């Protein structure tokens, strides 16, 4: 266990350092463009899994949190000239507050009713933005980027570094929740909420905490979006595709462990980028096929497949040892 923790923290420390060095070695800009998108989905899928995977509440409001984070960053930049890290912090705070507010209104609903309520919340926020002229309304707004800080050549390279840090933060949060009493409480209410309440688990507080953390991470992932695209408009920013993709990545990767959504996001987002270069519609077909295959063949996702493979290898080694022992005897 200690070795695993040491490896994890070494990896978590090395990843931002690598992301800071890579943009300075002259790689093609396209690689950073693709890597940014993949890491953005790693954050969204990991954040989705905190509520959807650990607590079992299927959330279709990912696009609402992502879009709210993007527009919060835009307002902070346009009204106050805030730097990027302040934009991200503001987006995370607003996302957490929205998570708590939405949780208080919807968490007493269960199953499909909760999922529909999260879609309704996304529509309400998008409608508000559509009619707010300060941020461009329905026609959107061109974003004028300030000078690139920290010695980076382009914003794509800078935002790749920033998204890497957000990815590490999201993974650390998800790992802590999984291994702490919070994760055990969320698992208990997911499996049998009434029994968990009778056992003294503070179910409402845990669900609100999961909503706040999940919402904060999703909104933080959306904060760099205006600078990344240089243009922002409501329809694509609040797209339902973000919700579908985050859910798909968690299902394909496996929702029982923190690294499941990470693997799912890397697999699907990388495939999406390859497929989209051939046909814009092809990636949706690929995502759909992967969902069907994993739901039928491997309902526990990549996590389940890896655990099954480890078990098979372990049992094979035991059989070899027993055979050698019987030969010696």
């Amino acid at each position: 266990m200690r070795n695993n923790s040491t490896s994890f923290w070494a990896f978590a420390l090395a990843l931002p350092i690598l992301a800071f060095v890579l943009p300075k070695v002259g790689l093609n800009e396209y690689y950073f463009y693709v890597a940014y998108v993949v890491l953005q989905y790693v954050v969204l899928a990991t954040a989705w899994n905190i509520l959807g995977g650990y607590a079992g509440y299927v959330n279709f409001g990912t696009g609402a949190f992502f879009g709210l984070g993007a527009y919060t960053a835009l307002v902070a930049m346009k009204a106050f000239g805030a730097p990027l890290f302040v934009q991200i912090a503001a987006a995370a705070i607003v996302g957490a507050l929205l998570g708590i507010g939405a949780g208080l209104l919807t968490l007493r609903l269960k199953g499909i009713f909760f999922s529909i309520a999260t879609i309704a919340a996304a529509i309400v926020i998008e409608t508000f933005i559509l009619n707010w002229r300060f941020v461009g309304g329905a026609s959107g707004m061109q974003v004028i980027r300030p000078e690139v800080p920290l010695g980076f050549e382009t914003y794509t390279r800078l935002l790749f570094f920033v998204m890497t840090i957000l990815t590490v933060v999201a993974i650390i949060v998800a790992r802590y929740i999984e291994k702490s009493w919070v994760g055990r409480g969320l698992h208990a209410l997911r499996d049998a909420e009434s029994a968990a309440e009778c056992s003294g688990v503070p179910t409402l507080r845990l669900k609100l905490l999961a909503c706040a953390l999940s919402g904060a991470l999703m909104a933080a992932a959306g904060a760099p979006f205006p600078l990344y695209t240089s243009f922002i408009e409501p329809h694509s920013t609040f797209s339902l595709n973000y919700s579908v993709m985050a859910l798909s990545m968690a299902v394909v990767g496996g929702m029982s462990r923190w690294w499941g959504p990470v693997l799912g996001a890397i697999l699907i987002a990388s495939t999406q980028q390859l497929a989209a270069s051939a046909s814009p519609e092809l990636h949706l077909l690929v995502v759909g096929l992967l969902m069907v295959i994993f739901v039928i063949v491997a309902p526990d996702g990549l996590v389940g497949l890896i655990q099954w493979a480890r078990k098979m290898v372990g049992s094979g080694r035991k059989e070899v040892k027993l055979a050698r022992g019987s030969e010696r005897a």
Side-chain angles (χ1 to χ4, degrees), residues 222-280:
F225 186 72
L227 289 174
Y228 180 69
T229 59
S230 299
F231 182 80
I232 185 168
E233 55 86 22
H235 291 300
S236 61
T237 309
F238 288 91
S239 173
L240 188 63
N241 279 346
Y242 291 112
S243 306
V244 175
M245 291 292 283
L247 186 155
S248 307
M249 290 162 178
V251 169
V252 169
M255 297 185 286
S256 60
R257 303 296 300 273
W258 63 266
W259 45 274
V262 177
L263 292 181
I266 292 172
L267 173 66
I268 292 182
S270 304
T271 309
Q272 179 202 30
Q273 292 300 309
L274 290 173
S277 60
S279 167

Side-chain angles (χ1 to χ4, degrees), residues 9 53 70 92 124 133 159 190 202 251 260 280 291 296 309 312 314 324 329:
W9 288 110
V124 169
R133 299 301 304 170
L159 295 179
R190 179 194 61 191
V251 169
M291 279 280 287
I296 295 174
M312 293 298 291
R324 287 177 178 171

Side-chain angles (χ1 to χ4, degrees), residues 110-245:
K110 293 181 181 177
I112 188 67
F113 301 105
F114 174 79
S115 301
I116 292 172
T118 57
I119 295 175
I123 293 172
V124 169
I125 297 170
E126 183 180 354
T127 305
F128 174 74
I129 296 295
L130 279 168
N131 293 281
W132 193 10
R133 299 301 304 170
F134 181 73
V135 292
S139 56
M141 175 175 283
Q142 191 73 37
V143 178
I144 300 173
R145 294 167 167 174
E147 190 178 346
V148 185
L150 298 176
F152 288 92
E153 292 180 9
T154 64
Y155 258 98
T156 305
R157 294 167 189 259
L158 168 67
L159 295 179
F160 162 72
F161 171 64
V162 171
M163 193 54 72
T164 303
I165 294 175
L166 289 177
T167 301
V168 171
V169 171
I171 289 173
I172 289 172
V173 170
R175 183 176 182 269
Y176 169 77
I177 291 175
E178 180 186 313
K179 294 180 177 297
S180 68
W181 64 272
V182 179
R184 291 191 289 275
L186 290 174
H187 288 159
L189 71 90
R190 179 194 61 191
D191 295 336
E193 189 165 344
S194 300
E197 285 182 353
C198 293
S199 303
V201 176
T203 56
L204 182 59
R205 274 189 291 169
L206 287 178
K207 287 188 288 186
L208 287 176
L209 179 62
C211 281
L213 291 173
S214 178
L217 290 172
M218 288 177 182
F225 186 72
L227 289 174
Y228 180 69
T229 59
S230 299
F231 182 80
I232 185 168
E233 55 86 22
H235 291 300
S236 61
T237 309
F238 288 91
S239 173
L240 188 63
N241 279 346
Y242 291 112
S243 306
V244 175
M245 291 292 283

